[in-house]
Amino acid sequence: MNEQLGPSRSRPAAGRTSASDVFAILPAGRFTWAIGAIHGEVDRLVILHDRLATRITPYDNLVYLGNFFGRGARVAATVHEMLLFRRALLARQLDDESGKIVFLRGSQEEMWHKLLQLQFAPSPADVFQWMLAHGVGPTIEAYGGDIQTGYRVVRRGAVVVSQWTNSLRAGMRALDGHDRLFSVLRRAAYTADRTLLLVSTGIDPSRPLTQQGDAFWWGSRGFEAMDAPYEDFAHIVRGFDPQHRGLRIGAHMVSLDGGAGFGGSLVAASFDENGRLVDTIEA
């Protein structure tokens, strides 16, 4: 039912990346629930989980559409709540036909990934400032970092920056399950029959799925411009809208960003086996 968070029994050879490391393929012919950008709003997530628990079945898929880090002040608590809910759903598993639980990488998670490699950036101070302006600060603090220390560190050379980012990694590893969750994030998810494609922020319609790169978390313009189906997918669902316009439904797309982390709500939606939106939850 889930993206495995325990020890992996098999791994691709060193230096190779398998498709399953990039995309999650969901069982077709069942309902799929998707949760929009959370941005550290754990109180809203708890309410949404409570409501979702009464509606989701063991055969349904569940996809968190990224951006659970950042913005809101309770990032660590948000991740912990996601892990607890995943555990509760796994306890309800019936057989091997159960649905899948998937976590996507959003722009906040991508920034965190880059922050942990800040020592390799050509201009760490500039990159750090940009990341702070885009909401990475609460994630730094969630894993034991201090923003003012960061300002000083990024001007002192690669060795000092590396020591600081290593301390942030250690802070994440100290919280049970957080590091492992981060390691299984996928760039996108789609149903095996390609009825639904689920992404964090958007896509570039001019590129094939395997060549989207960072368009998955920065490609909102391409998503907004779509006026025809993308490849052979019937519908595309995203969790983050830079303008936070709430639930939006188009001919080929659905956007689920109610503005969590920006003073708005957290939105989840359910799609049937044909990709039609059939239920929503707002918290």
Side-chain angles (χ1 to χ4, degrees):
M1 179 173 183
N2 61 303
E3 288 295 316
Q4 192 176 54
L5 293 178
S8 177
R9 295 184 179 180
S10 62
R11 298 182 184 275
R16 297 176 59 188
T17 302
S18 69
S20 63
D21 290 330
V22 178
F23 305 116
I25 302 176
L26 307 171
R30 76 261 321 271
F31 283 55
T32 296
W33 282 91
I35 298 178
I38 304 167
H39 286 131
E41 292 269 12
V42 67
D43 292 337
R44 294 186 186 277
L45 182 61
V46 169
I47 294 170
L48 187 142
H49 277 166
D50 286 345
R51 296 172 181 170
L52 177 58
T54 66
R55 305 189 203 186
I56 193 169
T57 79
Y59 296 107
D60 296 345
N61 299 313
L62 173 62
V63 182
Y64 292 85
L65 299 174
N67 287 305
F68 28 88
F69 285 9
R71 298 293 178 186
R74 300 180 64 193
V75 170
T78 297
V79 176
H80 186 63
E81 170 63 21
M82 291 163 59
L83 292 170
L84 286 176
F85 192 66
R86 169 187 169 276
R87 183 184 303 170
L89 293 181
L90 291 179
R92 295 164 55 182
Q93 271 191 336
L94 300 176
D95 51 43
D96 291 340
E97 296 301 314
S98 295
K100 230 177 183 181
I101 304 173
V102 174
F103 303 88
L104 299 189
R105 180 191 298 258
S107 56
Q108 290 294 327
E109 292 75 43
E110 175 65 5
M111 279 194 291
W112 181 246
H113 173 69
K114 296 299 186 185
L115 180 70
L116 295 179
Q117 304 176 60
L118 193 59
Q119 60 269 25
F120 302 116
S123 179
D126 291 342
V127 174
F128 184 63
Q129 184 64 52
W130 182 88
M131 289 180 173
L132 287 175
H134 287 80
V136 79
T139 308
I140 293 172
E141 293 173 341
Y143 295 115
D146 175 75
I147 293 172
Q148 293 307 313
T149 299
Y151 274 120
R152 294 192 296 271
V153 161
V154 295
R155 292 173 171 82
R156 295 180 59 189
V159 172
V160 176
V161 174
S162 181
Q163 292 171 344
W164 187 63
T165 58
N166 283 339
S167 73
L168 295 176
R169 281 194 187 89
M172 173 177 263
R173 289 172 184 152
L175 298 178
D176 187 35
H178 288 227
D179 186 56
R180 182 59 183 155
L181 173 65
F182 189 71
S183 74
V184 301
L185 300 183
R186 299 296 178 254
R187 298 192 176 197
Y190 56 87
T191 54
D193 60 1
R194 297 174 77 88
T195 295
L196 280 179
L197 170 63
L198 302 105
V199 300
S200 177
T201 300
I203 60 163
D204 179 347
S206 68
R207 300 187 212 168
L209 187 66
T210 56
Q211 297 178 21
Q212 287 294 315
D214 62 4
F216 285 126
W217 33 87
W218 305 114
S220 61
R221 290 184 180 179
F223 183 87
E224 295 289 348
M226 282 194 310
D227 56 5
Y230 173 68
E231 294 190 352
D232 55 345
F233 294 104
H235 305 281
I236 302 181
V237 181
R238 74 165 179 188
F240 177 66
D241 171 6
Q243 298 182 54
H244 319 297
R245 288 168 288 184
L247 178 65
R248 298 176 61 236
I249 305 170
H252 308 290
M253 68 82 171
V254 177
S255 187
L256 299 178
D257 187 357
F262 295 86
S265 62
L266 177 60
V267 178
S270 177
F271 302 85
D272 69 11
E273 62 274 15
N274 298 309
R276 293 182 297 237
L277 189 152
V278 293
D279 196 4
T280 60
I281 301 173
E282 191 166 350

